[in-house]
Amino acid sequence: MKRFWNVRTLFFAPIVLIGLGGPAALPGQSECAGRAADIIRRAYPSATNADDGTLLFEGASITLPKGDSVDGDPHAVICRVWPAQPQLMLIAVPLMTEQSDSENEGDIELLVVDSTKLQVRQRLRLDGLMSDDAFRVRSVAFDTARYQLAPKRTAFGLRISREGSSRANPFGETTLWLFSIEGDRLKPVLDNIVVRESQGEWDTVCAGEFSETTRTLAMVPPAKDAVADILVTDKTTTSVNRVGTDNDCNSEDKTTIDKRRLRYDGSGYGVPKDLKRVD
């Protein structure tokens, strides 16, 4: 039997990024190397300065990072040199049209730029990805583990983490998207798969039920002239907590593991509905 504080720590601990085990930018980190302003000026030449220090572009605000830290601000620009192609830098630009204590609205635009000249090579705008209300966006990070789709084709990932504010009904999730470069286009190849999810309901003292699911993605080497499958391994732990006869809070845990395979259909990987983010 486990004491309840162990289970509570599980659900209120900082988000851990789950994936291939390769490099992933941590929330709050960036690699702009002081060049974020230059990158944004080149990518959005019509942007103007706002009084609050942000930039305005077609009704949306752009927040530049302070140095190479976004200081816990998920709405700041982030940069990551792509280890698979270090001549390229990945940029995520939140384009926020509304920000308040109750809700936010905005998109993300992904840029692939030349690491030296900072010229934009590819870009893709993802509508509504920064919009939230009850479940707030807490972090945005690149995942540059080696998602090898084919011998000369590698994808990179974008992870967005959201959390709820209810103590009685804790909720958190991290969602992953994958993208690859197709000529002069940036193409999404895997859309919206939840790689971490935790939720629960309890009396804020002891009694309650909780579950946490983590998903790891592994690339299955393809046959000749094919695109790799993705093997998804689900690990789900459910916990039921009760007050014991000695007034201690005890937990009973159960863990299940499931595997499933995602196949490339010519345009991308189909993600089953039960693996997608709930909006």
Side-chain angles (χ1 to χ4, degrees), residues 74-133:
H75 304 118
V77 173
I78 61 171
C79 310
R80 186 84 197 269
V81 174
W82 192 0
Q85 301 188 60
Q87 74 277 15
L88 301 177
M89 182 182 291
L90 310 174
I91 318 293
V93 184
L95 297 166
M96 304 305 300
T97 54
E98 181 178 336
Q99 292 179 264
S100 70
D101 293 335
S102 58
E103 64 178 343
N104 297 290
E105 293 184 6
D107 307 333
I108 281 185
E109 186 157 31
L110 298 179
L111 310 176
V112 180
V113 307
D114 183 283
S115 295
T116 303
K117 298 180 180 179
L118 305 184
Q119 295 174 339
V120 177
R121 294 192 176 187
Q122 292 87 17
R123 63 198 307 164
L124 176 67
R125 186 159 176 165
L126 305 168
D127 295 341
L129 221 57
M130 292 301 294
S131 298
D132 60 26
D133 43 40

Side-chain angles (χ1 to χ4, degrees), residues 149 153 180 182 187-190 226-230 261-270:
L149 306 182
R153 186 179 173 196
S180 69
E182 306 282 337
K187 177 184 175 182
V189 293
L190 184 140
V227 177
D229 292 346
I230 298 178
R261 186 176 291 230
L262 306 182
R263 290 183 168 83
Y264 191 78
D265 64 6
S267 61
Y269 295 91

Side-chain angles (χ1 to χ4, degrees), residues 174-210:
T174 300
T175 308
L176 171 68
W177 288 258
L178 294 181
F179 306 89
S180 69
I181 295 175
E182 306 282 337
D184 61 353
R185 296 173 52 240
L186 188 58
K187 177 184 175 182
V189 293
L190 184 140
D191 176 55
N192 182 17
I193 183 171
V194 176
V195 291
R196 171 196 172 271
E197 182 177 28
S198 61
Q199 56 187 322
E201 182 176 0
W202 65 305
D203 61 6
T204 72
V205 178
C206 171
E209 297 185 10
F210 304 86

Side-chain angles (χ1 to χ4, degrees), residues 200-277:
E201 182 176 0
W202 65 305
D203 61 6
T204 72
V205 178
C206 171
E209 297 185 10
F210 304 86
S211 70
E212 179 172 66
T213 298
T214 58
R215 295 188 177 96
T216 56
L217 278 61
M219 309 304 293
V220 179
K224 185 178 180 181
D225 299 326
V227 177
D229 292 346
I230 298 178
L231 181 65
V232 181
T233 301
D234 294 24
K235 181 180 179 180
T236 300
T237 299
T238 57
S239 303
V240 178
N241 305 294
R242 300 184 179 91
V243 178
T245 56
D246 54 0
N247 288 326
D248 283 343
C249 192
N250 299 314
S251 172
E252 295 182 0
D253 299 343
K254 179 182 178 181
T255 298
T256 60
I257 295 177
D258 186 30
K259 297 180 183 290
R260 65 186 87 188
R261 186 176 291 230
L262 306 182
R263 290 183 168 83
Y264 191 78
D265 64 6
S267 61
Y269 295 91
V271 179
K273 186 176 180 181
D274 62 323
L275 301 188
K276 288 195 171 188
R277 185 172 85 171

